[in-house]
Amino acid sequence: MRSWLTKRPPFSCWPVALLGLLVFGASPALHAAQGQSSITGAKVACTEGTAGPYPCKDADLLSVLSIEALGGTADTDLNDVWGWTDPQTGTEYALVGRTDGTAFVDVSSPTEPVYVGTLPSHTTASAWRDVKVYADHAFIVSEAPGHGMQVFDLTRLRDVGADERPKTFDETAHYDGGESVRLETAHNVAVNTDTGFAYIVGGDASGAAPTCGGGLHMVNVQSPATPTFAGCGPGVATDANGSARFSGPSSAARLGPNARQSGSSRAKDAGYTHDAQCVTYRGPDPEHRGDEICINANETVVNIADVTDKDAPVTIAEATYPDVGYVHQAWLTDDHRYLYVDDELDERDGLVDRTRTLVFDVTDLDAPTRAATFFGATGAIDHNQYIAGSYAYQANYTSGLRVLDVAAPEAPEEVAYFDTYPADDALQFRGAWSTYPFFDRNIVLVSSIGQGLFVVQPRLSPIFSFTARRQEQGARLRWALSSAAQTARIDIEHKPPEATTWQLAKTIAGNRSDPGGPAGITDNSVSVTDLRPGTHQFRLRHVSTQGAVRTRRASPVHILPSAPATI
């Protein structure tokens, strides 16, 4: 999750690269803290488009911890952020990447976050640091020379008393590769928490030391304190001495028998992996269900690889799209049917004029197809995004946190935002670096490069999904509702063909004591009959017991000519 300059050009290109840094406002240290003050003590509601000094829409500010309050100095920036919930105490922590280390913050009281301590960088400072969690351990990589991967036992945080804060920790373990493959620097790390394997990407080592070619460097972390090398991803061969080496300029070197490429041609540098998501596949493609799949952002293509067999990983398919700038990151919807992709350089390079998100249909993993393109409200550069439930949480640099409703995956819609960098929406590598939306409650962590750690609470609809389908000469409406929502009523609104206003079709009283199912979701449905031919629009309005109203986007139903209808 780094900016464009981190795929290092040849030495002869560095003068041009450095000039680009000056022109576009980036630097090897990005932008140092800009005097941001902490904001704690009470929620700052988003009112008339602002929460304090921050532009917003339907997203309240719970707190901000400045970089200084996170243990940084005037020379410190933030980068990645992740989260961990202590299974014993329920305490929620933010794991915040700094240029000089990792800060641990107790966010259990989100309006009163507490800086617990820090794990210094294994070597030196770097603009790029990334952290993920498995089995109550943090796995931290950086592009700092000689850094390797730090392992930290997060349960140590629960023993830190108030008089010890902030505590400086040492790492629990350190990983720098196996006997045949070395790891000194890395850009990012992904973890499949189902299998206990970490996937280090963008890795490198000095001199003639063998590496995984910048592609997947697979590590068994099932015993977190003793990580062991498990293999290299597709496109990396082993020489006669057993050392790993990149087998060619393209990860297509190990395409599977059914693999396909989406797009007219492949770039020659698609073997380097910038970011990845690795999962145990549970989507609709029966051929791959249960396999361990990695979605790799390979700069010029999206690479989909089966890594179930660590000795013989294979590329399933690769996909691209028009006007590629830099394939930066990709994330699957929860049902593994769709893939959301962000391109970090298309805005900066003038390929598009607004923030662009690419949506791929991956119901057939061997043949991904581009299903939609979403353009944001600003021209800011997009960086990282994660999908939790029906929402995508995007960190779009100078335009901050952007929340998309992805319940209809091919028609995403922005429903909330919180701008951590209110100065402008310029094409700069400043502002929001990443987000973490995976806590069990509705709070979102946002790391902002020169500002600090933000804890934000979007005002999201308690209606998780809504569909309307034709049923003979009528419509069948279905929706999923959070059982935690305090529901007074659901209003079903209808806009008949050629109508310009919404009509109340039906009201359903809420059951305020309904505990819901085991997942905290109640499924609901209702039929509307006797609709005349044409396109009908339906939408839901959720009214809470406190009077708050949230409207779910409209869903169309097309009624074909048939027998006479009454509506």
Side-chain angles (χ1 to χ4, degrees):
M1 302 175 192
R2 59 183 177 179
S3 64
W4 65 278
L5 65 119
T6 58
K7 184 161 191 316
R8 296 180 179 84
F11 178 79
S12 61
C13 294
W14 269 111
V16 176
L18 291 174
L19 176 61
L21 296 180
L22 295 174
V23 171
F24 291 108
S27 72
L30 295 179
H31 293 273
Q34 299 168 358
Q36 169 69 53
S37 298
S38 296
I39 300 175
T40 61
K43 177 170 73 175
V44 182
C46 179
T47 305
E48 297 182 350
T50 60
Y54 301 102
C56 59
K57 173 190 173 185
D58 285 337
D60 300 325
L61 175 64
L62 300 182
S63 61
V64 183
L65 278 189
S66 68
I67 292 176
E68 181 180 11
L70 292 166
T73 68
D75 296 322
T76 305
D77 282 319
L78 300 190
N79 37 62
D80 193 36
V81 65
W82 205 248
W84 174 66
T85 301
D86 187 330
Q88 178 175 309
T89 66
T91 304
E92 296 157 318
Y93 293 92
L95 317 180
V96 186
R98 299 190 318 244
T99 49
D100 59 350
T102 306
F104 304 109
V105 182
D106 180 345
V107 293
S108 298
S109 297
T111 58
E112 295 285 0
V114 176
Y115 173 43
V116 177
T118 185
L119 176 66
S121 175
H122 185 74
T123 53
T124 60
S126 169
W128 299 282
R129 191 172 307 278
D130 194 83
V131 56
K132 296 295 186 298
V133 171
Y134 169 72
D136 304 326
H137 286 73
F139 299 87
I140 305 164
V141 299
S142 174
E143 295 202 16
H147 186 278
M149 181 172 71
Q150 295 175 297
V151 183
F152 178 73
D153 183 351
L154 293 165
T155 64
R156 295 165 64 184
L157 299 176
R158 70 170 68 122
D159 299 324
V160 179
D163 58 341
E164 298 178 90
R165 300 172 185 153
K167 182 174 181 177
T168 299
F169 295 95
D170 57 358
E171 58 197 30
T172 302
H174 183 259
Y175 174 83
D176 57 10
E179 293 182 0
S180 60
V181 176
R182 301 296 298 165
L183 178 77
E184 294 183 5
T185 66
H187 178 64
N188 212 321
V189 60
V191 176
N192 183 354
T193 57
D194 291 332
T195 63
F197 280 89
Y199 298 85
I200 299 170
V201 299
D204 202 358
S206 60
T211 72
C212 286
L216 296 176
H217 179 124
M218 302 183 286
V219 185
N220 185 332
V221 295
Q222 293 165 356
S223 297
T226 56
T228 57
F229 176 68
C232 292
V236 177
T238 303
D239 62 22
N241 298 320
S243 296
R245 57 182 176 80
F246 186 52
S247 64
S250 167
S251 56
R254 297 199 60 165
L255 285 170
N258 300 317
R260 303 180 191 176
Q261 288 177 210
S262 171
S264 58
S265 63
R266 295 194 72 266
K268 295 181 179 180
D269 57 350
Y272 170 92
T273 299
H274 186 77
D275 204 336
Q277 181 191 15
C278 298
V279 300
T280 301
Y281 179 72
R282 58 180 183 275
D285 189 339
E287 180 182 356
H288 299 288
R289 194 172 296 128
D291 292 340
E292 190 165 10
I293 302 297
C294 286
I295 309 294
N296 305 309
N298 281 18
E299 299 193 304
T300 55
V301 297
V302 178
N303 172 277
I304 303 176
D306 183 342
V307 297
T308 308
D309 184 350
K310 303 299 183 289
D311 293 326
V314 60
T315 288
I316 298 171
E318 290 182 333
T320 187
Y321 47 87
D323 298 320
V324 173
Y326 192 94
V327 181
H328 180 265
Q329 190 231 16
W331 205 260
L332 290 161
T333 55
D334 285 359
D335 59 7
H336 293 179
R337 289 177 174 269
Y338 288 88
L339 180 70
Y340 276 59
V341 178
D342 58 82
D343 185 310
E344 190 177 20
L345 294 187
D346 51 354
E347 299 90 6
R348 192 213 66 177
D349 290 350
L351 302 173
V352 295
D353 60 2
R354 288 180 293 153
T355 307
R356 180 175 63 160
T357 303
L358 291 307
V359 183
F360 284 84
D361 181 335
V362 291
T363 53
D364 181 354
L365 281 180
D366 298 289
T369 59
R370 187 162 53 92
T373 302
F374 173 79
F375 289 97
T378 78
I381 300 169
D382 44 333
H383 196 221
N384 293 310
Q385 65 180 329
Y386 298 100
I387 296 175
S390 298
Y391 298 96
Y393 299 82
Q394 301 184 329
N396 290 349
Y397 281 125
T398 55
S399 68
L401 168 69
R402 298 279 160 163
V403 183
L404 306 186
D405 180 341
V406 298
E410 296 187 19
E413 177 185 19
E414 184 176 281
V415 294
Y417 67 82
F418 190 93
D419 191 349
T420 65
Y421 188 82
D424 54 51
D425 295 325
L427 295 170
Q428 304 281 355
F429 301 108
R430 305 179 179 182
W433 180 288
S434 197
T435 75
Y436 181 81
F438 299 116
F439 286 124
D440 287 340
R441 57 175 167 161
N442 181 29
I443 61 173
V444 180
L445 307 177
V446 185
S447 56
S448 199
I449 296 169
Q451 291 69 49
L453 172 68
F454 290 73
V455 185
V456 177
Q457 188 170 59
R459 302 175 193 167
L460 302 178
S461 171
I463 302 171
F464 293 142
S465 63
F466 171 54
T467 60
R469 298 285 186 267
R470 182 171 64 87
Q471 188 176 31
E472 297 179 346
Q473 292 305 112
R476 184 72 168 174
L477 313 183
R478 298 179 183 274
W479 66 94
L481 178 68
S482 169
S483 59
Q486 298 296 307
T487 304
R489 70 177 191 274
I490 297 288
D491 292 337
I492 300 175
E493 296 185 321
H494 173 220
K495 185 187 290 185
E498 302 174 3
T500 58
T501 59
W502 290 94
Q503 304 170 6
L504 180 63
K506 186 173 292 189
T507 293
I508 300 175
N511 185 343
R512 304 182 187 185
S513 60
D514 182 6
I521 297 174
T522 59
D523 292 319
N524 305 267
S525 65
V526 68
S527 293
V528 180
T529 59
D530 297 329
L531 298 177
R532 64 183 173 89
T535 300
H536 295 254
Q537 299 280 345
F538 291 92
R539 71 182 185 185
L540 302 182
R541 295 175 75 248
H542 178 273
V543 182
S544 74
T545 54
Q546 291 79 34
V549 177
R550 290 287 179 268
T551 301
R552 190 72 188 189
R553 77 167 81 181
S555 183
V557 175
H558 306 288
I559 303 298
L560 302 177
S562 183
T566 58
I567 296 182

